[in-house]
Amino acid sequence: MSWDETADRLVGAGADGEDQAVEAALRPKDLDEFIGQERVREQLSLVLRAARHRGATADHVLLSGAPGLGKTTLSMIIAAEMGAPIRITSGPAIQHAGDLAAILSSLTEGEVLFLDEIHRMSRPAEEMLYMAMEDFRVDVIVGKGPGATAIPLELPPFTLVGATTRAGLLPPPLRDRFGFTGHMEFYAPHELERVVHRSARLLDVEIEADGAAEIAGRSRGTPRIANRLLRRVRDYAQVKADGVVTREIARQALEVYEVDARGLDRLDRSVLDALLRLFGGGPVGLSTLAVAVGEERETVEEVAEPFLVREGLLARTPRGRVATPAAWEHLGMTPPADRGAGQGPGAAQQGLFGA
Ligand SMILES: Nc1ncnc2c1ncn2[C@@H]1O[C@H](COP(=O)(O)OP(=O)(O)OP(=O)(O)O)[C@@H](O)[C@H]1O
């Protein structure tokens, strides 16, 4: 599977072209509409209310969490709650300090600057951001070599909202300059059911409670995936039935799209299948496993494994990848006898199987 195809996965948490258009329509517009993430929502609400009360610009906010959990949505809500405009950019788009200086110097007072994937900004830009965040000032370097001079430029107070999937990758001096850090968790099934119901209402799709539960259960804790599955199930319901999303229709549709009851897709299952059938449950090296499923090493490691690990279906151990008892059960297979007895290689020795 190429990276382009990877991005097309129905259960991938990245946004594709169609997603972006529909996502804009489905985004909650204020904190009350934003489902789940109670702690982040409550803390953020306090931060914003206090700033409004003081008539000040809100503190800089860092949002961390997996793709598709609502970081962009929250940044837009922050701007809306502060009655401020928002500018959206991303770390990879800012390769030179000059790129950042151009953006910062054009901000208006109180504006929210949303910097997605902030951990992927270049080092010189990052250093410029330190001063901008703390002192609302940047030094613009004019000229080159010994003749170069730094011209200080005052900035209007603004709120930086940084988003990252990997808070641990941020250098401490950058992390420390955020007045508030919110960690976004994966959503519980009942929260995703609410997301599905809300989106169905906005998309004018008739859905039964069981249908929403079925979609929520297969959405990997991620609203973006829930919304995408809902749209595919809606297509199926319209073409194959009377347009109403029932549990049965959701099941049939997601079977067509190869998303199983736990939210695993074809790639996830082929990784598990190879691990169990060809390697007796492991341990097996990542490269060998990737060759066995005909995928790039990175695809297996970065696309399939995080969810399999999170679901407790696969363990990454120093000796290689190992299937857990839940993996055998999920694929309806019985582990070899030595697994259960705790004498064989691999998982038994890793303590993954009970005696
Ligand atoms: N709490 C929520 N309630 C309702 N819908 C949500 C919620 N969080 C996210 N969504 C929906 O999920 C979609 C993806 O959200 P968003 O783009 O904000 O995620 P993200 O974390 O910024 O992802 P990425 O890091 O990939 O950019 C949006 O369409 C939004 O409507």
Side-chain angles (χ1 to χ4, degrees):
M1 189 191 297
S2 72
W3 277 101
D4 284 349
E5 285 166 304
T6 304
D8 286 345
R9 284 173 85 213
L10 202 56
V11 295
D16 56 27
E18 184 200 354
D19 260 355
Q20 284 166 12
V22 185
E23 267 179 11
L26 295 181
R27 280 186 205 287
K29 304 277 183 287
D30 58 39
L31 277 179
D32 290 337
E33 244 189 290
F34 194 84
I35 294 161
Q37 310 291 345
E38 302 299 340
R39 193 157 355 137
V40 173
R41 220 150 42 92
E42 193 183 333
Q43 293 168 343
L44 199 53
S45 164
L46 283 173
V47 169
L48 300 180
R49 273 165 51 193
R52 276 203 310 265
H53 187 73
R54 291 192 303 270
T57 302
D59 252 353
H60 304 304
V61 173
L62 178 65
L63 299 173
S64 70
L69 297 187
K71 298 183 293 298
T72 309
T73 305
L74 257 192
S75 74
M76 291 178 169
I77 290 176
I78 290 172
E81 298 263 337
M82 294 305 292
I86 181 166
R87 188 89 53 99
I88 296 181
T89 185
S90 71
I94 300 179
Q95 279 318 308
H96 307 285
D99 301 336
L100 183 64
I103 294 173
L104 291 172
S105 60
S106 65
L107 291 176
T108 54
E109 182 162 349
E111 191 160 353
V112 172
L113 174 62
F114 178 61
L115 232 170
D116 203 4
E117 297 187 79
I118 192 168
H119 58 277
R120 293 180 59 196
M121 219 174 14
S122 73
R123 180 48 63 94
E126 196 177 283
E127 277 164 13
M128 173 178 276
L129 194 58
Y130 294 164
M131 197 197 279
M133 289 172 77
E134 202 154 273
D135 303 329
F136 297 112
R137 189 168 66 85
V138 287
D139 280 340
V140 181
I141 310 292
V142 180
K144 279 203 166 111
T149 44
I151 301 180
L153 186 70
E154 296 292 327
L155 303 173
F158 65 95
T159 300
L160 177 70
V161 180
T164 180
T165 46
R166 327 265 300 260
L169 288 187
L170 284 195
L174 180 56
R175 239 182 4 224
D176 294 347
R177 282 172 167 80
F178 287 96
F180 171 74
T181 299
H183 181 70
M184 320 266 293
E185 307 283 353
F186 286 100
Y187 291 65
H190 71 272
E191 293 168 334
L192 287 180
E193 282 176 41
R194 286 174 56 204
V195 171
V196 171
H197 277 298
R198 177 181 174 276
S199 300
R201 207 169 48 246
L202 292 171
L203 295 171
D204 219 2
V205 176
E206 201 177 325
I207 189 165
E208 294 183 355
D210 283 353
E214 193 64 36
I215 294 173
R218 299 181 188 218
S219 299
R220 304 164 85 114
T222 308
R224 174 177 290 137
I225 298 176
N227 284 341
R228 194 182 296 151
L229 296 188
L230 170 66
R231 295 194 321 265
R232 296 296 71 85
V233 172
R234 170 204 57 188
D235 296 347
Y236 183 92
Q238 284 171 353
V239 173
K240 299 275 191 182
D242 57 2
V244 180
V245 176
T246 61
R247 181 182 289 274
E248 194 44 39
I249 288 292
R251 275 196 188 141
Q252 287 171 16
L254 294 173
E255 202 164 300
V256 170
Y257 292 113
E258 300 186 278
V259 177
D260 75 16
R262 241 173 133 151
L264 275 67
D265 72 357
R266 195 167 43 81
L267 172 66
D268 304 319
R269 275 194 310 275
S270 68
V271 169
L272 277 192
D273 197 68
L275 183 57
L276 302 189
R277 268 182 226 284
L278 303 179
F279 306 108
V284 60
L286 173 61
S287 304
T288 310
L289 187 58
V291 170
V293 292
E295 301 288 354
E296 300 285 332
R297 204 185 129 92
E298 291 75 18
T299 305
V300 173
E301 186 174 28
E302 289 165 32
V303 180
E305 282 189 354
F307 179 65
L308 295 176
V309 170
R310 181 155 68 82
E311 282 290 288
L313 295 168
L314 177 145
R316 291 167 165 163
T317 75
R319 297 177 53 223
R321 275 43 179 177
V322 176
T324 66
W328 292 94
E329 200 184 317
H330 186 64
L331 291 202
M333 293 166 65
T334 313
D338 65 338
R339 299 272 149 173
Q343 345 154 328
Q349 286 178 357
Q350 309 291 340
L352 294 169
F353 284 79

